[in-house]
Amino acid sequence: MAIDKNYDRLQIKVSKVRSDVRQKIVKFKETSLDNLGENLSSLLQRFDQIEGDNQVELIRIYSEAMTVTQTINSGGLPSLRLTGVVTVTKKGESRDPELHLATGANVQIIETGRNRQSPPQALCRHKAIQLGHYTGAVCYHEGFTYVGLDRRGVGKLDKFRNLNKDFINLIDFVDSIVVLDNMIYVLIWKSNFFVSSYDMSGLLLVSWLHDDLPVNNAKNKMAVFNGNIIIARRLAKVLVLYSSFGELLKVVPCPLLDLCSTDICTLDSERVAVSVYQTDTIFCMNMNTSEVLWKCTSIWRPRALVCYGLHFLLISTDVVPSEQTVYVLNSKTGESCSLLSEKSSLQPLPVAVRRKGGESNVVIEHGTMVLDMEIVDDTLLVSRPTEHSLIMFELY
């Protein structure tokens, strides 16, 4: 009876949402489609009126035109702002589905891979790819893996693991790579940090300064957040949000930042996770309210962050045994879940690993230092810079 009542309530909610969606579709058809052609004509006029080498305006027009043409080609709708949408998920191996009502703003479909309702249980080395260069950045997009090759540029690996080392030539250090709207963004540093944008063939489109002077070669990372680029500015203790063509959109105070290596990972449309190497801190921040939602200080020298589905966060550190080690946190609460090791499938998470009287109670092997990680389906890509290699691990 209880199940019947719950489904009766859900059926009413689904019917209401379906009615709301239909009204939005009709409204979009009547009011928006007719304007798309006019928008393209206006963009072409603006393009013809560009004076000189105005890269920012060119990228702005290009971005707007891409949005319009993609909408026309798909015959689809822009993101609908809906609430009360019912989703069904399966938790672990349980046979009982869980019913949820979405309360967020933009409805998104997120590919979470298989069994992402539970944390990974095992880490198994699959393959090692020798890159021949110190690498601190890795990014996967539509069948290709982009790797930062310091003092060389950005290399491109195809699905057969063939490496094009000359995809993007740079003489600077590559800290981070992301892909957004069919453009590749590279965070580089020399005397200061710069973000450079390239098309998918490797042609430079635009570049802008990110004023955050490197301290002791401290690495910085960027992430895609709600269709924009987010990077930490550690000198000012803020998180900075840029548009895809470099316009400064938002500056969010972030007092937990420090002058050391930092990584950042987008958790959802409101939250990001940040690691601060020198202070042994990982924290979650709400970008709308600037509120720190949780903080974890039990992992010594956190390095790279990557999301595992919607509920978990994987962290690499400099505190590693001879095999690869990855910590797992609950991304909703910051609570420790487990410690994955390449040699043993699952271990209880130990208490905080810290220095004792200037000595370390663990051996730090710099050959296994990890500066970046990426997840592709159930494969974890790990950059091991001093080994000049990219390691592939299967997550189970």
Side-chain angles (χ1 to χ4, degrees):
M1 291 298 294
I3 294 177
D4 290 339
K5 289 182 180 178
N6 286 335
Y7 274 93
D8 287 342
R9 290 169 54 202
L10 288 170
Q11 186 174 12
I12 294 173
K13 292 179 181 294
V14 170
S15 298
K16 184 179 185 305
V17 170
R18 182 173 60 186
S19 176
D20 292 342
V21 171
R22 188 181 189 285
Q23 292 178 12
K24 291 177 184 293
I25 292 174
V26 171
K27 183 178 179 180
F28 174 75
K29 179 180 178 182
E30 294 176 348
T31 62
S32 299
L33 285 178
D34 293 340
N35 295 329
L36 293 176
E38 297 179 5
N39 290 343
L40 279 179
S41 298
S42 175
L43 289 172
L44 287 174
Q45 291 178 2
R46 287 169 54 193
F47 180 82
D48 293 335
Q49 294 171 358
I50 293 178
E51 297 181 358
D53 188 18
N54 191 338
Q55 293 186 356
V56 172
E57 180 64 14
L58 177 61
I59 297 302
R60 181 184 287 112
I61 294 173
Y62 174 80
S63 179
E64 293 177 15
M66 283 288 293
T67 300
V68 174
T69 54
Q70 286 173 359
T71 303
I72 293 176
N73 290 337
S74 65
L77 295 163
S79 296
L80 295 174
R81 300 181 67 85
L82 302 174
T83 57
V85 179
V86 178
T87 62
V88 180
T89 60
K90 187 177 181 182
K91 186 174 183 179
E93 298 302 320
S94 169
R95 299 180 63 182
D96 299 323
E98 293 185 350
L99 301 172
H100 303 279
L101 295 179
T103 57
N106 291 329
V107 177
Q108 301 177 350
I109 298 176
I110 302 175
E111 177 60 46
T112 58
R114 67 173 184 263
N115 201 28
R116 291 285 175 87
Q117 294 294 321
S118 300
Q121 302 294 305
L123 185 69
C124 180
R125 181 188 293 247
H126 174 61
K127 189 174 184 180
I129 302 173
Q130 292 300 317
L131 303 175
H133 291 269
Y134 187 100
T135 178
V138 58
C139 175
Y140 176 86
H141 180 71
E142 294 186 353
F144 294 96
T145 302
Y146 302 92
V147 290
L149 307 176
D150 279 356
R151 298 293 190 179
R152 180 68 181 255
V154 176
K156 182 178 180 180
L157 280 163
D158 63 20
K159 62 181 180 180
F160 301 107
R161 309 307 174 194
N162 298 312
L163 175 62
N164 176 8
K165 293 186 178 182
D166 298 315
F167 177 63
I168 296 175
N169 289 310
L170 296 166
I171 61 173
D172 307 306
F173 294 98
V174 177
D175 266 20
S176 187
I177 305 170
V178 298
V179 176
L180 170 63
D181 294 336
N182 288 318
M183 290 188 283
I184 303 168
Y185 292 83
V186 182
L187 180 64
I188 61 177
W189 72 266
K190 35 187 175 182
S191 59
N192 209 325
F193 281 92
F194 293 85
V195 181
S196 295
S197 170
Y198 301 83
D199 67 15
M200 300 308 293
S201 68
L203 177 65
L204 178 65
L205 298 174
V206 67
S207 183
W208 70 87
L209 171 69
H210 175 68
D211 190 15
D212 187 44
L213 294 176
V215 179
N216 297 326
N217 298 334
K219 293 288 185 178
N220 201 356
K221 296 292 181 180
M222 58 184 174
V224 174
F225 182 78
N226 289 342
N228 299 298
I229 303 293
I230 186 170
I231 320 174
R233 182 176 291 165
R234 296 160 295 183
L235 288 172
K237 293 185 179 291
V238 295
L239 296 179
V240 180
L241 197 66
Y242 295 105
S243 71
S244 58
F245 46 86
E247 180 184 359
L248 180 61
L249 300 177
K250 189 175 184 179
V251 176
V252 179
C254 191
L256 291 179
L257 290 175
D258 207 334
L259 298 180
C260 60
S261 292
T262 303
D263 202 347
I264 188 167
C265 175
T266 298
L267 299 178
D268 54 37
S269 61
E270 296 181 346
R271 303 177 305 136
V272 296
V274 181
S275 67
V276 184
Y277 179 79
Q278 196 67 34
T279 61
D280 310 331
T281 302
I282 304 163
F283 63 91
C284 171
M285 172 170 281
N286 186 307
M287 288 293 292
N288 295 328
T289 65
S290 303
E291 179 186 3
V292 175
L293 302 178
W294 55 257
K295 182 172 71 170
C296 170
T297 57
S298 63
I299 299 176
W300 192 66
R301 298 300 188 255
R303 283 281 192 184
L305 305 176
V306 67
C307 290
Y308 184 80
L310 299 176
H311 305 288
F312 304 99
L313 189 65
L314 307 187
I315 304 102
S316 71
T317 78
D318 274 353
V319 181
V320 289
S322 57
E323 68 271 11
Q324 180 65 53
T325 306
V326 175
Y327 290 83
V328 184
L329 295 185
N330 184 312
S331 62
K332 302 290 184 181
T333 65
E335 295 177 351
S336 301
C337 294
S338 59
L339 172 64
L340 296 181
S341 171
E342 184 179 347
K343 289 184 177 178
S344 57
S345 61
L346 186 64
Q347 306 173 22
L349 191 68
V351 295
V353 180
R354 296 187 178 279
R355 291 186 180 276
K356 295 182 178 179
E359 298 295 329
S360 176
N361 59 345
V362 295
V363 177
I364 300 177
E365 299 184 1
H366 293 287
T368 51
M369 180 175 65
V370 173
L371 290 186
D372 204 4
M373 298 191 296
E374 176 81 300
I375 286 184
V376 183
D377 295 327
D378 288 304
T379 299
L380 180 68
L381 305 179
V382 173
S383 72
R384 287 185 171 175
T386 53
E387 294 179 4
H388 296 177
S389 62
L390 182 69
I391 313 295
M392 303 172 64
F393 294 94
E394 294 298 322
L395 295 168
Y396 298 98

